[in-house]
């Protein structure tokens, strides 16, 4: 499964996005899903940049999802000290 994580710096200080983590799980039982890294298809992992206040970036990401899988949970954290944002839903 491929998706885009939009990171927006709404703060007043520069944000170091190199600590961004994305974790996925799928199914009702929350099976762990591996991230997919495929630079040929634009899935190179997290950003290697700092983000000025008021700016945003889009980060393409991929996670394993079985063909029959429909329920996914995506957990995004900008760094080790911040709270995670958790998204869940059904994949079409």
């Amino acid at each position: 499964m491929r998706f885009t994580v939009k990171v927006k710096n709404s703060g007043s200080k520069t944000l170091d996005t190199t600590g961004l983590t994305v974790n996925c799980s799928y199914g009702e039982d929350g099976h762990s899903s591996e991230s997919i890294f495929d630079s040929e298809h634009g899935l190179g992992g997290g950003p290697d940049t700092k983000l000025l206040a008021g700016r945003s970036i889009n980060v393409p990401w991929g996670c394993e999802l079985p063909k029959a899988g429909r329920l996914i949970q995506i957990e995004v954290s900008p760094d080790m000290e911040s709270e995670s944002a958790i998204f869940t839903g059904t994949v079409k």
Side-chain angles (χ1 to χ4, degrees), residues 1-2 65-72 89-92:
M1 181 178 135
R2 182 186 176 115
L65 180 66
K67 274 193 173 206
R70 293 290 172 254
L71 182 62
I72 187 95
T90 304
V91 177
K92 295 180 180 180

Side-chain angles (χ1 to χ4, degrees), residues 1-5 21-26 61 63 71-77 84-89 91:
M1 181 178 135
R2 182 186 176 115
F3 53 93
T4 301
V5 176
T21 59
V22 179
N23 296 299
C24 300
S25 60
Y26 63 88
W61 205 273
C63 288
L71 182 62
I72 187 95
Q73 178 173 300
I74 302 168
E75 180 179 348
V76 180
S77 181
S84 297
I86 300 174
F87 307 91
T88 188
V91 177

Side-chain angles (χ1 to χ4, degrees), residues 13-82:
K13 297 180 181 177
T14 300
L15 174 67
D16 183 358
T17 63
T18 60
L20 177 79
T21 59
V22 179
N23 296 299
C24 300
S25 60
Y26 63 88
E28 294 292 332
D29 296 332
H31 298 282
S32 184
S33 174
E34 294 293 323
S35 291
I36 297 173
F37 301 100
D38 184 351
S39 57
E40 280 186 36
H41 294 97
L43 298 173
D48 292 325
T49 188
K50 293 184 178 171
L51 191 59
L52 295 174
R55 304 280 300 173
S56 62
I57 58 171
N58 292 318
V59 181
W61 205 273
C63 288
E64 289 180 322
L65 180 66
K67 274 193 173 206
R70 293 290 172 254
L71 182 62
I72 187 95
Q73 178 173 300
I74 302 168
E75 180 179 348
V76 180
S77 181
D79 57 41
M80 298 297 276
E81 298 160 4
S82 299

